[in-house]
Amino acid sequence: MRDNGTKNILLVGVGGQGTILASKILSEGLLRRGYDVKMSEIHGMSQRGGSVSTHVRYGEKVASPVVPEGCADVLVAFEKAEAARWLHYLKRDGALVVNDFEIYSLPVLTGAAEYPEGIIERLKEKVEKIKCVDAARLAEELGNIRAQNVVLLGALVKALGLEGLDWKSVIKDTVPEKLLDLNLKAFDAGLSQ
């Protein structure tokens, strides 16, 4: 760790995937643990399926909410092309948690462009600490594909070594009651990856 022990986490995805909710749960848990936490959301064209990134920095004392390029301890990509797009933010010995999931942009859907092939393989060539998670499949098995964000949150918590926090109580206080059971199961599914 550097910068007085500050840890840098970058969560990236496509609008509508729940990156911001996952970041809010993460930030709340870290606050409850006593860390100084800064979070910055960058929505971009999220309503049109564009990139969304959330920077979360935590430690004893954090000055800025933005993770500098090349300094992310962990990069969590909710979509595999987004992992490739944001990889330059990951530090040399950082960890990558990537959802093995594809979301096709409008140019791909209309046939004007092709979705890149072999993304996961190229990521594995560049990153030593990589965890590929089939969060969509796990969430579907639980009954709702939209819970893949909390599956990825569980995988992130494991990558950070923060399993000891009371994440279930944070999730309970953050998600609607009707979705609580689903999200608790999704978190456990991610934690077991």
Side-chain angles (χ1 to χ4, degrees), residues 175-191:
V175 302
E177 177 74 31
K178 66 182 180 179
L179 299 174
L180 179 59
D181 187 54
L182 168 68
N183 282 285
L184 291 175
K185 289 177 181 173
F187 182 81
D188 285 340
L191 204 56

Side-chain angles (χ1 to χ4, degrees), residues 97-163:
V97 176
V98 60
N99 189 7
D100 192 358
F101 188 70
E102 298 175 1
I103 295 179
Y104 302 120
S105 64
L106 190 56
V108 171
L109 292 172
T110 62
E114 291 185 19
Y115 191 88
E117 298 278 331
I119 294 173
I120 297 291
E121 293 75 17
R122 287 195 307 276
L123 291 170
K124 286 180 177 179
E125 290 172 4
K126 295 179 179 182
V127 180
E128 186 176 320
K129 296 184 227 172
I130 182 170
K131 180 67 179 176
C132 296
V133 180
D134 192 349
R137 179 189 56 80
L138 292 168
E140 280 185 319
E141 288 174 0
L142 294 171
N144 190 334
I145 193 170
R146 295 186 67 193
Q148 63 185 309
N149 62 333
V150 181
V151 171
L152 291 166
L153 175 65
L156 169 62
V157 164
K158 184 174 182 178
L160 290 169
L162 293 171
E163 298 94 334

Side-chain angles (χ1 to χ4, degrees), residues 70-82:
C71 292
D73 293 285
V74 181
L75 171 64
V76 182
F78 286 54
E79 197 274 348
K80 59 189 180 182
E82 292 299 309

Side-chain angles (χ1 to χ4, degrees), residues 27-69:
S27 296
E28 180 60 28
L30 294 168
L31 282 168
R32 290 182 187 188
R33 179 67 179 258
Y35 290 110
D36 183 23
V37 181
K38 301 286 189 283
M39 182 177 113
S40 174
E41 307 163 11
I42 301 171
H43 298 271
M45 295 289 289
S46 59
Q47 286 81 10
R48 297 186 183 192
S51 287
V52 174
S53 67
T54 307
H55 301 240
V56 177
R57 301 184 74 222
Y58 72 96
E60 188 176 316
K61 182 68 180 149
V62 180
S64 166
V66 178
V67 175
E69 286 187 31

